């Protein structure tokens, strides 16, 4: 009996190695690696000459079908995972939201329903906790046992998502014991709210005031406080969507002290800046997300942080809202613009292009940032995040020379603009496989809604 599929002539690139090897797939798993594997009776042979074969991307920060700001994010689990697959991402970790008064179980059940029958590639969930009584704190253990092993909390959005320090500290103490990992939205929501109210009172209502009322100091202060609370609780902490050098410095200092502190940044903070708000009219609303865009000089600091492992992961914080009808809800008042931007499709190309093609770091570091580190930190490794016998055959045949200019006219996300419109990239996925099934072939989608499965994740282990 032959293999189901063999990928031949490619250069296998993992977080540690690059070598020429065939990759054989049987029953959705990688079943052999080696040169000149027998091709007789193989169900399918894919030629990867001149290309890398890398593990499927893992995006640990998306918001599909998420109610927010009086509307719902524009991609659901079908369109969002499909766009992800086009970009070489084969696993998403989305957020199940516990609203006030609800159990954590309700959040998990609700998001399982949103995803089931729709996702084209595999998915898992973090749980966003907004209301933490004793019952919900105890429930965290049950969720961890069911494979929801990370919890997001907000230090911002007072009255909506924000939790007080005591609740955050209690949750961190729980994860210190049960092996969960807290993901922190670190911005000082109280101080920001004062600045927002002042701006509104002064009639400053244009989109750029969203950014101008959320200073980098507010992010750095909350990052520092999150780290201190985690240290006191004896727990690891993962800072989400880190946007600026001030916060990066706090993470770097903590890591230098040997604390289990981790952070992600997102392509928008590496490619865009506060200058995007100079766009005419209401166009700046396209860039309203939180934390906001910063001055341009922060970008190189973040790239350097990725290179030197002060930052461990690149995620997207994909939270798409159409410009027409959704972003427009805030035409007269920036506080009413739904916060979020679309990005799930272009993470690999943007990070390969800016990271590897522009000489900032190696192909191995690229794989580490977009796949292996997320898999290890969030309990998916070694099932996902690497190319090894026994791992899921989530694979991307990545053409390092293919060029593309990002545009809403060609992207696959269900949103009417691109944050990265006109940005040229070098390096794109050619063929994408999810558990051994080809889901994307060049410009064609050949996957199936509902083929994606919920993945139960393991608990955190120190990296
Ligand atoms: O503006 C953003 N980032 N929207 C999504 C929610 C969040 O805080 O991650
Ligand atoms: Zn957040
Ligand atoms: Zn987010």
């Amino acid at each position: 009996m032959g293999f189901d599929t063999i990928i031949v002539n490619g250069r296998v690139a993992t977080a540690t190695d690059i070598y020429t090897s065939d990759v054989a797939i049987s029953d959705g798993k990688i079943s052999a690696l080696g040169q000149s594997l027998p091709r007789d009776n193989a169900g399918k042979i894919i030629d990867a000459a001149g290309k890398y074969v890398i593990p499927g991307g893992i995006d640990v920060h998306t918001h599909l079908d998420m109610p927010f700001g009086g509307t719902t994010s524009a991609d659901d689990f079908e369109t969002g995972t499909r766009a992800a697959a086009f970009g070489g991402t084969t696993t998403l970790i989305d957020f199940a939201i516990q609203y006030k008064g609800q159990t954590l179980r309700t959040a998990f059940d609700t998001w399982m329903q949103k995803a089931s029958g729709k996702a084209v590639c595999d998915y898992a969930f973090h749980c966003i906790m907004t209301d933490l009584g004793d019952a919900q704190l105890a429930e965290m253990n049950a969720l961890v046992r069911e494979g929801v092993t990370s919890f997001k909390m907000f230090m911002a959005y007072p009255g909506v998502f924000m939790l007080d320090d005591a609740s955050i500290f209690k949750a961190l103490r729980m994860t210190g014991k049960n092996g969960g990992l807290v993901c922190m939205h670190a911005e000082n929501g109280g101080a920001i709210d004062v600045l927002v109210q002042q701006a509104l009172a002064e009639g400053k209502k244009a989109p750029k005031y969203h950014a101008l009322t959320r200073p980098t100091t507010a992010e750095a202060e909350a990052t520092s406080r999150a780290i201190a609370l985690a240290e006191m609780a004896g727990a690891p902490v993962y800072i989400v969507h880190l946007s600026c050098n001030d916060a990066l410095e706090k993470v770097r200092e903590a890591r230098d002290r040997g604390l289990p502190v981790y952070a992600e940044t997102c392509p928008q903070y590496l490619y865009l800046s506060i200058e995007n708000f100079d766009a005419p009219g209401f166009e700046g609303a396209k860039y309203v997300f939180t934390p906001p865009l910063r001055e341009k000089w922060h970008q190189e600091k973040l790239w350097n942080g990725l290179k030197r492992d002060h930052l461990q992961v690149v995620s997207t914080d994909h939270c798409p809202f159409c410009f027409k009808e959704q972003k427009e809800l805030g035409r007269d008042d920036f506080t009413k613009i739904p916060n979020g931007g679309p990005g799930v499709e272009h993470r690999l190309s943007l990070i390969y292009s800016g990271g590897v093609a522009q000489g900032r770091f190696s192909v191995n570091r690229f794989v580490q940032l977009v796949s292996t580190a997320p898999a290890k930190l969030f309990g998916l490794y070694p099932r996902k995040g690497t190319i090894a016998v026994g791992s899921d055959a989530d694979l991307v045949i990545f053409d390092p020379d293919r060029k593309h200019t990002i545009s809403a006219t060609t992207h696959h996300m269900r949103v009417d603009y691109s944050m990265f419109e006109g940005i040229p990239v070098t390096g794109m996925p050619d063929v994408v496989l999810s558990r051994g099934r080809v889901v994307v072939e060049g410009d064609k989608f050949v996957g199936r809604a509902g083929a994606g499965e919920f993945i139960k994740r393991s608990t955190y282990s120190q990296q």
Side-chain angles (χ1 to χ4, degrees):
M1 253 204 1
F3 301 115
D4 294 342
T5 302
I6 312 187
I7 301 169
V8 298
N9 302 325
R11 302 258 293 151
V12 172
T14 67
T16 49
D17 301 302
I18 300 184
Y19 54 93
T20 302
S21 174
D22 296 344
V23 181
I25 299 166
S26 308
D27 295 327
K29 305 254 180 214
I30 297 168
S31 52
L33 293 167
Q35 286 179 353
S36 310
L37 292 177
R39 298 178 187 189
D40 325 337
N41 305 323
K44 188 178 177 80
I45 296 177
I46 303 175
D47 189 0
K51 321 266 166 75
Y52 288 117
V53 183
I54 61 172
I58 299 174
D59 190 343
V60 301
H61 193 150
T62 63
H63 301 277
L64 302 177
D65 199 358
M66 170 183 157
F68 195 34
T71 184
T72 300
S73 60
D75 272 316
D76 63 12
F77 277 82
E78 181 171 347
T79 62
T81 54
R82 192 165 165 271
F86 268 108
T89 290
T90 51
T91 308
L92 302 183
I93 310 186
D94 205 88
F95 294 85
I97 306 179
Q98 174 232 13
Y99 295 102
K100 292 201 190 308
Q102 284 184 345
T103 61
L104 304 187
R105 152 79 38 206
T106 305
F108 181 32
D109 289 347
T110 306
W111 258 261
M112 282 293 271
Q113 260 176 19
K114 285 176 189 267
S116 111
K118 288 198 153 188
V120 312
C121 63
D122 292 347
Y123 56 92
F125 293 111
H126 316 274
C127 182
I128 289 180
M129 303 189 298
T130 66
D131 184 8
L132 265 183
D134 290 343
Q136 287 95 344
L137 276 167
E139 254 196 300
M140 289 172 73
N141 293 327
L143 253 66
V144 166
R145 282 194 297 274
E146 290 187 57
V148 178
T149 54
S150 42
F151 301 88
K152 181 174 179 185
M153 289 181 288
F154 287 82
M155 299 172 117
Y157 297 119
V160 185
F161 291 139
M162 189 168 117
L163 282 171
D164 60 280
D165 287 353
S167 301
I168 290 171
F169 183 56
K170 286 180 192 168
L172 280 160
R173 287 216 296 201
M174 291 301 285
T175 56
K177 292 194 200 102
N178 67 20
L181 178 60
V182 163
C183 303
M184 197 70 83
H185 180 126
E187 283 185 302
N188 186 317
I192 287 170
D193 217 31
V194 172
L195 296 175
V196 167
Q197 294 316 319
Q198 184 185 337
L200 292 179
E202 291 170 0
K204 296 172 173 167
K205 297 187 175 173
K208 71 174 175 198
Y209 291 105
H210 172 80
L212 294 176
T213 52
R214 306 185 90 90
T216 57
T217 325
E219 187 178 343
E221 183 281 325
T223 303
S224 174
R225 184 157 37 100
I227 292 168
L229 292 169
E231 184 176 7
M232 283 192 281
V237 67
Y238 177 90
I239 308 295
V240 293
H241 45 42
L242 187 147
S243 73
C244 62
N245 188 53
D246 317 40
L248 176 61
E249 283 296 299
K250 305 294 180 192
V251 171
R252 188 184 56 75
E253 282 166 20
R255 290 178 60 79
D256 283 351
R257 287 201 291 123
L259 293 174
V261 172
Y262 310 93
E264 64 178 22
T265 190
C266 313
Q268 51 271 35
Y269 304 118
L270 297 162
Y271 277 86
L272 309 177
S273 77
I274 193 139
E275 290 168 23
N276 285 82
F277 288 103
D278 296 340
F282 186 60
E283 295 273 305
K286 294 176 178 174
Y287 309 100
V288 168
F289 40 77
T290 308
L293 291 173
R294 306 301 191 183
E295 287 173 19
K296 228 181 172 107
W297 64 268
H298 291 272
Q299 293 173 358
E300 204 50 49
K301 298 284 183 188
L302 296 177
W303 280 113
N304 192 48
L306 292 173
K307 174 180 173 175
R308 301 181 62 176
D309 203 37
H310 305 321
L311 294 166
Q312 291 68 48
V313 171
V314 179
S315 69
T316 60
D317 194 5
H318 176 75
C319 188
F321 296 105
C322 287
F323 184 66
K324 289 204 185 72
E325 291 180 12
Q326 294 192 296
K327 290 287 186 182
E328 277 189 345
L329 292 169
R331 192 169 267 285
D332 302 321
D333 174 350
F334 71 89
T335 65
K336 300 203 164 58
I337 301 171
N339 286 196
V344 77
E345 187 166 345
H346 298 112
R347 184 178 60 121
L348 268 63
S349 285
L350 286 165
I351 300 308
Y352 184 88
S353 206
V356 185
Q358 291 188 34
R360 289 186 173 101
F361 46 71
S362 66
V363 178
N364 305 105
R365 183 67 186 154
F366 161 69
V367 173
Q368 173 86 7
L369 290 166
V370 300
S371 180
T372 312
K376 287 187 172 174
L377 276 168
F378 288 98
L380 292 164
Y381 189 85
R383 176 165 178 191
K384 304 206 183 267
T386 193
I387 297 182
V389 172
S391 295
D392 281 357
D394 291 357
L395 296 164
V396 178
I397 298 173
F398 192 85
D399 183 345
D401 302 317
R402 190 164 152 206
K403 293 188 191 306
H404 176 70
T405 301
I406 296 176
S407 173
T409 58
T410 48
H411 75 199
H412 302 88
M413 299 177 286
R414 192 164 64 185
V415 61
D416 60 359
Y417 75 97
S418 171
M419 288 196 285
F420 303 109
E421 187 72 38
I423 293 183
V425 288
T426 302
M428 282 192 75
D430 257 5
V431 181
V432 179
L433 295 93
S434 166
R435 274 183 287 107
R437 292 167 287 108
V438 175
V439 289
V440 169
E441 245 171 349
D443 296 331
K444 270 207 317 277
F445 178 70
V446 291
R448 179 175 61 80
E453 285 179 3
F454 170 70
I455 307 289
K456 264 178 103 161
R457 293 180 291 122
S458 312
T459 49
Y460 160 84
S461 56
Q462 178 127 26
Q463 301 301 316

